[in-house]
Amino acid sequence: MRALSDSDATLSDRLRLLESCVRGIVMEFDEAGRYLEVWTHDPALLARPRAELLRSTIDEVFGAEGGRLFMDVIRRVCAERQPVRLEYALTVLGGPRWFAAEGFPGAKPRTVVLLVQDITERKQMEARLLEADRLAAIGVLAGGLGHEINNPLAWV
């Protein structure tokens, strides 16, 4: 095991600072989908404990079918060298959650950094607003229907 150089220690400190500010997950993958590094402020946001993720592949963690979405992002970022954004639902250690992720080309060749944020509260708020809109539309429809029925009855 090699000793950390001053630049490695500084980089590690910067990544820890980034992790604390992001309030999500920062993951680094190689082009084969192998977890090279994982940083998070909340381990409950991870699909598995950090120690199990490191050196595992996405397919080993999620299965071939479950990991397809993430592997597509990694392949696109490696090929196009452009950021790729996605939203997905996943059951993690803390329960079912919604995430928004953005994949970026990593500093090392053929690596991808995935910046992941928990958007569960936002998705729940969107669902509540959608339900409120539906209820409002039903109220307007019921009011209009009542008015249409009441007019002929008033004439009679």
Side-chain angles (χ1 to χ4, degrees):
M1 184 173 198
R2 73 178 181 92
L4 287 177
S5 69
D6 288 340
S7 63
D8 288 339
T10 303
L11 179 61
S12 181
D13 291 341
R14 288 181 183 165
L15 287 171
R16 280 185 181 53
L17 177 62
L18 174 66
E19 165 216 321
S20 67
C21 294
V22 169
R23 307 299 298 167
I25 309 166
V26 179
M27 295 180 277
E28 184 179 18
F29 298 94
D30 65 13
E31 64 185 333
R34 185 169 310 282
Y35 289 84
L36 301 176
E37 192 54 79
V38 177
W39 298 275
T40 184
H41 75 285
D42 183 0
L45 295 177
L46 298 175
R48 292 201 184 151
R50 180 181 180 275
E52 287 182 30
L53 293 175
L54 293 177
R55 305 291 173 225
S56 296
T57 64
I58 289 176
D59 287 348
E60 291 169 345
V61 174
F62 297 108
E65 185 67 30
R68 183 173 303 167
L69 176 69
F70 302 108
M71 284 306 301
D72 288 346
V73 169
I74 290 170
R75 286 185 191 108
R76 282 184 53 201
V77 171
C78 284
E80 300 169 10
R81 305 297 293 165
Q82 294 294 320
V84 175
R85 183 165 171 73
L86 74 145
E87 289 186 5
Y88 59 95
L90 185 65
T91 300
V92 295
L93 297 174
R97 311 295 291 176
W98 274 93
F99 296 98
E102 193 154 7
F104 300 94
K108 299 175 211 165
R110 310 301 290 169
T111 62
V112 173
V113 174
L114 204 61
L115 179 59
V116 181
Q117 293 187 323
D118 181 2
I119 59 167
T120 303
E121 289 180 25
R122 186 183 87 194
K123 286 292 192 178
Q124 290 170 342
M125 180 64 73
E126 288 173 2
R128 286 193 294 270
L129 287 172
L130 186 61
E131 183 66 22
D133 284 347
R134 285 185 195 144
L135 291 174
I138 290 171
V140 169
L141 179 66
L145 186 60
H147 179 73
E148 292 299 321
I149 290 172
N150 197 24
N151 278 349
L153 289 177
W155 184 80
V156 170

